[in-house]
Amino acid sequence: MLRFTLLGPVQLIVDDEPLTGIAPRHRAVLAYLLLNAGRVISIERLIDAMWGYDRPDTARSQIHASITAIRKVLRSAGAVRLLETRAGGYVAQPEPGQVDAQEFTELVATNELRKALDLWSGEALEDVHAQYVTGVRELWNDRRLSAYERLVEGELAAGRHSDLLDELAAQVTADPLREKLNGHLVLALHRAGRQADALAAARSYRTALADEQGLDPGHAFTELERAVLADDPALRLADAAQQAEPPRPAATRRSFLPYDIPDFSGRTAELERLAGGHHESAVVTIDGMPGIGKTTLAVHVAHRLAARYPDGRLFLDLQAHTAGREPVDTAAALEALLRQLGVPADRIPVTPGERSALWRAELADRRVLAVLDNAFDADHVRPLLPGHSETLVLITSRRRLVDLDGAHALSVDVLGEQDAAGLFARIVGERARHEPDAVREVLQLCGHLPLAIRISAARLQHRPRWTVSYLAGRLRDHRRLLDGVSAAFALSYEHLHETEQRMFRLLGLVPGRDIDPYGAAALAGISEEEAEEILEGLLDAHMLLQLEPGRYTFHDLLREHARSIAEDDGTVPVLQLLTYYLHRSRAAVDRLFPDSLSHREGIPQPTTPIPPIRNAEQAITWLDAERSNIIATAVHGPEICVGMLALAMRPYLDRQAHHDDALTLQTLALQRARKLGHARRDFEVQALSDLAWTYWRLGEYERAEEHAGQALEVCKEPYERARALLTLGNVALRRRQDTQAEQYLKQALDLTRIGADTWGEAHVLGILALVLDRADRPKEARRHLDLALALHRKVGNPAGEAVILDHLGVVLRHQGELAQARTRHEQAAALYRKLGNTADEAAALNGLAEAAGDPARSVEEHTAALALADLARNRPEQARAHDGLARAHLALGHSEQACEHGRLALALYGELGVPEAAEVRTFLEHAEESAEQDRPPGEELLEAGS
C-alpha cells in the first residue's frame, strides 16, 4: 500500500515502511504537487514555489531533475501514473486515501476529529524547505488547531473537562496567543472546580496578548472571564444530551435509478460477476460499443443490488458521447451527486477538489450504490470515486478504463445466440418459437446488437399479421444499403406513421442535444399538441429517448441515422426552429429584464403563437435548458436571425456570466452582418458594441477597446454610440486614464440624453461618478450616483440599482464613512444574489471587504468574493480579491500568505494590463522583506544544504 505523509515529515510510505534516499528538494517539489493534486502545475509556478524571486539560474533544470527523481521513486513503488506530464506542466493524481492531508480534510468534514488529529506526526511539511513552505505550514497548523478546538468544544459539552486538562494546558503552552484555546482551558479549569486556576489562566493570556501584540482579548473571552469571576451558573454543565451536537441527518433514502426494463434477457455470466456475490472492489467498470446495452445492464444490476445499499441509489449521465454536448465536468458531476445524496446546496463548496473531498466524506460511513453512465475515460471519473467506504460505483463507458487502478473491469460483447433469441422472444412472444430459423436470420441481420434487436422486435410486436420470416425478408432487402444496426433502424423508420417519419427526419437536422414539444412544433410547423403526440409515438417505438420529463433526444446511433436520411428536407424547418428560439428567448428575457425592452425593438413580432412565459422562474429555467441548443442552432443552422438572436439573448448571457456563449453568438452575428454589407449595418454595430462589452467583462481590454472603436467608426445612432463610448470609458477607468475616461463618459451621457435613454443615462452616470471620485470631486460623484439610483428605480432596473449601490459604497469608503459604505455594499450584494448575478456579487463582496476596517473580516469577505469570481471567471474581481487578501494577511502578520496572494494578484493584473500591477509589485517587495524577517534563524543554511 502506497501512502504520502505531509502532516509531519514529508515521506513516501510503502507497506508501512518509509522510503529513504529522497533528497529534501525533491520532497519539497513532491509535497507541492500533492497539495495541489488534480491541478496542472506549470514549471514556472513550481520555480516560484521553490525559490520565489530569488531563483537560481539552474532553477528549471533543478525542477526537471526533481521530477525525474520523483518518477523514479514512484516507479519503484508501483505508482507510475501518479505523476503525469500535461501540456501546461505536471499533475499529481493520488488515489483516495493515499495522502494524509486529504484524509484529514475528509475526517474533519465528517466530525471524526480525534481520528483526524491522530494523523499528525509533527508540524506540516516538517523537514522540507522552500519558498512556499512557511505559508502552507501556517495554514495547515491553523487547520489542525481549529480541529482540536472543535474537538475540545465537544468534549467540554460532554462533561469530560477533567480528562482534558493536561492535554489542553500543553496545547496552550505551545500556542499561548490562541484565544479560543485559552478560553477552553479557562472553562475546563472552572468546571473542574479550580476557579482560582481558571482566573490565573485568563490573566496569563491577557498579559501575553498585551505584551506580544498590544491587544486586549475579544468580547467572548472577556465575558467568559467575567462569568468565571462571578461563578455564573450559566457556565455549569447542562445535560450532555442537550449540549451534544445533533447527529448528522442520514442520507435521504431515495432512488435516482432509471426504470428497469421488464424484458431484460440474458447476460447470465455478466450478472453473476456483477450481482452474484460480494464485490472485492468498490468500483466496477462496464465497457463496450454503442448500443451494446451497457446502461441497461448497469441499471438492471443496480436494481438487483438495491436492497444492499439502503443509504441511496444514485444515477448520473456523464454525457461523454452525447452529440452536441460537452461531457459533464468534474464540478458539475460532483454537485449533482451531492444533491442526489441529500447534501444541501449551501454546504456544497465551489472548487472541484473541495467537492470531491466532501463527496468522499459523505460516503465514508454510508452504503450507497452509484451508476456513472457514459464516461469518457478514467480521468473523467477518478475524482468521483469514493474513498474507504461501503459504496459501490458502476461505471459505463465506450472505452476500456484500464488505467483506473483497483477497479473491477467488465467488457460487454454483443449478445450470444441464445441470449439474443431470449431477448427477441421476450418482446415478440409466441411467434418467435414457431420460426426458429427466421429468428436466427433476424438476429444475424441485427448483428446481435441489443438495441437493434429491441427496435426490430418492437416493430414486429405491434404488427400481429407479420411473421418473423416476413420481418427477416424486409430486413434482408435493406442489406445492400444499410449494414448491421442500420438495417434495424431503417426498417423501424419505414413502419413509422408518415407524420412520425417526417418528425424523425427533421429531428436529425437539429444541431442541439434535445428538444421539447414546443420546439418540435416549430420545427415541423404544427401545433404543440400534435408535436407532443408524435414525439410520444417515437418514444414508444424506441426511436427517441426521454432523459428528462418533457424533453426528447436520440440515442447516439439513431441520431446519426436520422441525419443520414434528412438531407432532402432543406433548411426551412431549422429556420422555423431558430425563429421559435428567437421569439421564446425574447419572451423569457422580457420577463427577466423588462427595463431593457426598448433596446430590442428591432426584433419583429412572431408570425405564429409563442407559448407564454408566466414568471421569472419559468424564464430562467427555459433559458438554462435551451441555452446550448440555441447556440448550437445559431452556429450550425441557417445564416439568418443571428443578429436578432444575439440582441435578444444579450442581457441573459451577460447577467448569468455565460461569456463564452456570448462571444460565440456575437462573433457569429458580426460575421454574418458583414456578409450582408450595408443592408444590415445596424446588426454589425450592435455586434461590435456587444463584443466590446463582453471583452470588457472578461478583462480583455485591448479587444474591448478595438471593437468599441470599430463600432464608433461605423455607427451614427445615439444608443449604440453611447454603448461604445461607455465601454471605452470603462476601459480607460480600469487603466486609470481618468481624463480620457471622463471625456468618453460625458460624450456617452450627452448621447443617452439626446436619445431619451433613461437606462443608459443611469448607467453612464454611475461609471462617471467613479471617475469624479478618483479626481477628488466627491460631491459631484455623490450627485451623479443619487441621480443614477433614482433613474434605475424609476425604470424598474434592480440590476442597475445594485451597481449604483456598490459604487456608492466605494465613494463612501474613500470619504472614510466605512459603516455607510458597508451598508451599501451589503445592499448591492443582496440584490445581486437575488438576481443570480454571481459575477457582480463578487464585486460587492470585495467592496464590503475593503470597507471592513478589520483584516480578519477582510480575509473572510475577500475569500467569499474570490469564490464567486472564480465561478464566473471574472478576472478583474479575482485580481482585486487576491490583492485584498494579500494586504489583509500582511496586516495580520501572515507574510507568507500575503506573498502568495500578492503573486496571484500581480499575475492577474499583469494579464489585464492595468496600473495596479506596479502597486502590487511594490507591495510584494515589502511583504517579502517581512517574510524573510519571519523566517527562523539558520533556515537559509538548511535551504542551501538541501
Side-chain angles (χ1 to χ4, degrees):
M1 179 182 174
L2 178 64
R3 187 169 174 79
F4 301 92
T5 64
L6 305 179
L7 307 181
V10 175
Q11 293 180 318
L12 194 161
I13 299 173
V14 179
D15 296 331
D16 297 325
E17 290 294 327
L19 294 184
T20 58
I22 310 174
R25 172 64 66 204
H26 304 335
R27 282 187 282 119
V29 172
L30 175 61
Y32 190 78
L33 290 167
L34 289 171
L35 287 166
N36 293 277
R39 301 176 188 166
V40 177
I41 305 298
S42 67
I43 289 183
E44 275 303 309
R45 186 169 170 186
L46 278 171
I47 291 171
D48 197 49
M50 295 304 118
W51 295 282
Y53 285 113
D54 212 12
R55 61 185 67 186
D57 294 337
T58 58
R60 187 171 287 270
S61 60
Q62 286 194 51
I63 293 295
H64 284 305
S66 292
I67 295 295
T68 301
I70 291 167
R71 282 202 166 121
K72 184 177 179 182
V73 172
L74 292 176
R75 195 178 301 113
S76 70
V80 179
R81 294 185 177 275
L82 189 140
L83 179 59
E84 295 183 0
T85 302
R86 299 285 175 84
Y90 305 99
V91 59
Q93 299 194 101
E95 295 291 336
Q98 283 189 332
V99 182
D100 62 353
Q102 196 168 29
E103 187 178 359
F104 172 82
T105 301
E106 293 170 1
L107 289 169
V108 169
T110 57
N111 220 29
E112 297 177 80
L113 299 171
R114 181 64 74 182
K115 193 173 177 182
L117 291 164
D118 287 342
L119 294 171
W120 289 72
S121 58
E123 284 199 325
L125 311 180
E126 186 169 86
D127 59 345
V128 298
H129 307 285
Q131 180 74 17
Y132 76 91
V133 167
T134 304
V136 171
R137 184 178 293 144
E138 286 179 5
L139 174 66
W140 278 94
N141 286 341
D142 184 71
R143 290 177 179 175
R144 178 183 63 81
L145 281 171
S146 295
Y148 180 72
E149 287 167 348
R150 282 176 56 191
L151 173 70
V152 171
E153 201 166 325
E155 297 287 278
L156 286 171
R160 290 190 279 272
H161 41 267
S162 297
D163 299 339
L164 282 171
L165 285 174
D166 291 342
E167 181 187 71
L168 193 50
Q171 287 287 349
V172 168
T173 301
D175 294 275
L177 300 182
R178 190 91 176 180
E179 183 160 302
K180 186 175 282 190
L181 209 56
N182 277 276
H184 288 335
L185 177 59
V186 170
L187 182 59
L189 287 165
H190 177 70
R191 285 185 177 170
R194 296 167 57 181
Q195 185 183 28
D197 291 339
L199 291 170
R203 284 194 299 274
S204 177
Y205 170 66
R206 183 181 287 278
T207 302
L209 189 63
D211 291 344
E212 293 289 328
Q213 297 183 355
L215 298 174
D216 291 324
H219 176 73
F221 188 91
T222 303
E223 285 298 303
L224 173 64
E225 190 177 17
R226 181 199 59 74
V228 170
L229 184 62
D231 195 18
D232 192 330
L235 294 182
R236 294 171 192 164
L237 185 66
D239 182 75
Q242 296 174 359
Q243 294 283 335
E245 184 178 337
R248 182 179 62 187
T252 305
R253 266 63 170 179
R254 291 180 295 169
S255 175
F256 291 85
L257 296 177
Y259 179 59
D260 186 20
I261 56 174
D263 51 24
F264 184 91
S265 180
R267 303 291 189 201
T268 306
E270 290 91 338
L271 287 173
E272 178 60 30
R273 290 177 64 183
L274 294 172
H278 179 72
H279 287 281
E280 295 179 2
S281 173
V283 180
V284 177
T285 65
I286 303 171
D287 61 74
M289 67 174 287
I292 203 72
K294 302 180 294 294
T295 302
T296 301
L297 175 61
V299 169
H300 186 69
V301 168
H303 279 283
R304 285 184 57 165
L305 295 175
R308 303 184 196 176
Y309 298 94
D311 296 326
R313 280 82 69 186
L314 318 182
F315 181 89
L316 181 64
D317 180 6
L318 295 170
Q319 299 179 357
H321 300 97
T322 303
R325 292 296 293 267
E326 290 295 316
V328 176
D329 64 27
T330 299
L334 286 165
E335 179 179 11
L337 289 168
L338 286 165
R339 283 177 179 272
Q340 288 187 20
L341 202 57
V343 177
D346 59 359
R347 279 194 59 220
I348 298 176
V350 173
T351 67
E354 290 173 325
R355 287 181 178 181
S356 186
L358 179 60
W359 165 243
R360 290 193 294 273
E362 289 290 332
L363 294 179
D365 54 354
R366 292 178 174 147
R367 294 184 63 83
V368 172
L369 187 152
V371 178
L372 304 180
D373 189 39
N374 201 2
F376 182 73
D377 56 15
D379 288 343
H380 196 185
V381 293
R382 191 172 280 115
L384 312 181
L385 301 184
H388 179 71
S389 77
E390 296 296 314
T391 291
L392 173 64
V393 179
L394 302 176
I395 303 169
T396 72
S397 178
R398 292 185 186 180
R399 300 186 181 192
R400 290 184 174 90
L401 308 184
V402 293
D403 53 344
L404 201 61
D405 295 339
H408 175 82
L410 175 66
S411 293
V412 181
D413 203 347
V414 294
L415 291 171
E417 188 170 330
Q418 186 175 351
D419 286 347
L423 172 60
F424 188 82
R426 276 178 176 264
I427 299 170
V428 172
E430 191 68 24
R431 282 178 289 176
R433 285 189 285 276
H434 294 317
E435 301 179 80
D437 293 339
V439 168
R440 278 193 293 272
E441 184 178 2
V442 167
L443 298 177
Q444 289 170 0
L445 290 168
C446 290
H448 285 207
L449 194 66
L451 181 62
I453 295 170
R454 190 170 292 282
I455 293 171
S456 297
R459 182 55 54 197
L460 186 62
Q461 181 188 23
H462 292 289
R463 297 291 185 275
R465 295 186 181 278
W466 283 19
T467 63
V468 181
S469 299
Y470 182 71
L471 172 66
R474 297 180 69 85
L475 282 171
R476 201 183 309 121
D477 288 343
H478 285 80
R479 289 293 287 174
R480 291 183 179 178
L481 297 174
L482 302 164
D483 187 31
V485 65
S486 295
F489 294 162
L491 183 58
S492 293
Y493 168 79
E494 182 181 326
H495 292 285
L496 293 172
H497 188 276
E498 185 179 339
T499 57
E500 292 175 334
Q501 286 185 345
R502 179 170 178 262
M503 181 65 81
F504 181 81
R505 291 196 313 274
L506 295 181
L507 291 172
L509 297 170
V510 175
R513 172 184 174 266
D514 61 5
I515 201 164
D516 67 2
Y518 293 112
L523 180 74
I526 57 179
S527 71
E528 182 268 336
E529 291 81 6
E530 289 177 278
E532 185 169 23
E533 185 177 347
I534 293 169
L535 292 170
E536 286 293 315
L538 289 169
L539 187 66
D540 289 342
H542 298 284
M543 299 296 277
L544 285 180
L545 302 173
Q546 191 172 65
L547 304 181
E548 301 172 41
R551 303 198 66 84
Y552 301 83
T553 189
F554 280 117
H555 182 279
D556 299 346
L557 296 179
L558 279 166
R559 186 187 303 278
E560 291 305 316
H561 182 69
R563 284 174 179 164
S564 72
I565 61 175
E567 296 175 358
D568 296 333
D569 287 275
T571 60
V572 172
V574 180
L575 174 58
Q576 292 172 170
L577 176 63
L578 192 60
T579 305
Y580 159 75
Y581 282 148
L582 168 65
H583 293 295
R584 194 90 197 273
S585 61
R586 172 180 174 156
V589 172
D590 285 351
R591 181 66 68 178
L592 292 171
F593 303 90
D595 53 283
S596 61
L597 275 167
S598 61
H599 303 149
R600 288 177 281 111
E601 290 175 351
I603 301 175
Q605 292 298 319
T607 55
T608 56
I610 296 295
I613 299 286
R614 294 180 178 82
N615 51 48
E617 183 180 1
Q618 185 187 6
I620 200 72
T621 300
W622 185 84
L623 286 166
D624 287 346
E626 297 288 4
R627 185 183 82 251
S628 62
N629 293 330
I630 292 171
I631 300 299
T633 306
V635 171
H636 301 292
E639 297 186 8
I640 195 166
C641 293
V642 178
M644 289 183 282
L645 193 59
L647 181 63
M649 293 285 285
R650 179 177 68 206
Y652 160 75
L653 294 175
D654 182 60
R655 180 194 284 182
Q656 302 302 115
H658 297 308
H659 299 312
D660 288 342
D661 285 339
L663 286 179
T664 298
L665 194 55
Q666 291 158 8
T667 301
L668 191 63
L670 179 62
Q671 292 168 352
R672 293 187 180 172
R674 284 177 169 168
K675 244 187 191 182
L676 296 170
H678 289 283
R680 291 321 320 231
R681 180 57 58 84
D682 53 339
F683 283 143
E684 179 184 358
V685 172
Q686 169 202 305
L688 285 167
S689 295
D690 287 348
L691 282 165
W693 183 261
T694 303
Y695 280 126
W696 176 77
R697 280 290 218 175
L698 289 167
E700 297 188 30
Y701 299 132
E702 288 186 9
R703 289 189 173 188
E705 190 174 42
E706 174 191 348
H707 285 83
Q710 290 178 26
L712 284 177
E713 288 175 10
V714 297
C715 176
K716 303 299 179 188
E717 193 269 322
Y719 172 70
E720 291 296 350
R721 286 187 67 82
R723 287 185 68 218
L725 286 163
L726 174 61
T727 301
L728 289 171
N730 270 311
V731 171
L733 178 67
R734 290 295 288 116
R735 292 172 172 170
R736 297 191 184 171
Q737 298 164 345
D738 294 344
T739 303
Q740 195 173 17
E742 187 172 355
Q743 290 173 354
Y744 285 137
L745 293 168
K746 283 184 173 178
Q747 291 177 56
L749 186 60
D750 289 341
L751 288 168
T752 60
R753 287 170 173 170
I754 290 169
D757 177 10
T758 305
W759 184 92
E761 179 185 355
H763 203 61
V764 174
L765 283 167
I767 304 301
L768 185 55
L770 295 181
V771 177
L772 295 170
D773 176 59
R774 203 150 66 192
D776 200 23
R777 293 149 67 184
K779 290 184 179 179
E780 290 180 72
R782 287 291 297 272
R783 282 199 302 270
H784 280 63
L785 289 171
D786 289 342
L787 177 57
L789 190 60
L791 292 175
H792 278 306
R793 285 172 174 169
K794 177 183 176 182
V795 298
N797 179 15
E801 185 180 342
V803 171
I804 302 305
L805 289 168
D806 192 40
H807 292 350
L808 272 168
V810 172
V811 173
L812 287 164
R813 177 170 59 84
H814 290 164
Q815 294 174 354
E817 300 179 35
L818 297 187
Q820 288 191 49
R822 285 183 62 81
T823 298
R824 297 295 180 270
H825 287 308
E826 285 169 347
Q827 290 170 342
L831 267 174
Y832 284 136
R833 203 171 298 121
K834 184 178 179 182
L835 295 168
N837 186 342
T838 55
D840 291 325
E841 186 185 348
L845 291 179
N846 271 328
L848 198 61
E850 289 162 358
D854 171 11
R857 182 182 284 180
S858 290
V859 167
E860 181 182 338
E861 289 166 349
H862 275 309
T863 300
L866 181 59
L868 292 179
D870 286 343
L871 196 64
R873 293 175 51 222
N874 186 337
R875 291 196 300 162
E877 294 305 326
Q878 287 173 318
R880 185 180 172 193
H882 281 301
D883 191 354
L885 283 166
R887 297 174 194 279
H889 276 300
L890 190 62
L892 291 167
H894 307 157
S895 51
E896 289 294 336
Q897 289 158 283
C899 289
E900 179 65 20
H901 284 292
R903 292 186 196 105
L904 292 167
L906 179 59
L908 284 164
Y909 282 140
E911 290 173 9
L912 294 169
V914 292
E916 285 90 341
E919 295 172 0
V920 173
R921 195 173 287 109
T922 303
F923 165 84
L924 270 174
E925 292 173 3
H926 172 59
E928 284 166 353
E929 287 176 10
S930 298
E932 191 63 33
Q933 291 168 7
D934 292 342
R935 296 178 77 182
E939 189 170 301
E940 294 84 355
L941 294 174
L942 288 170
E943 178 72 14
S946 68

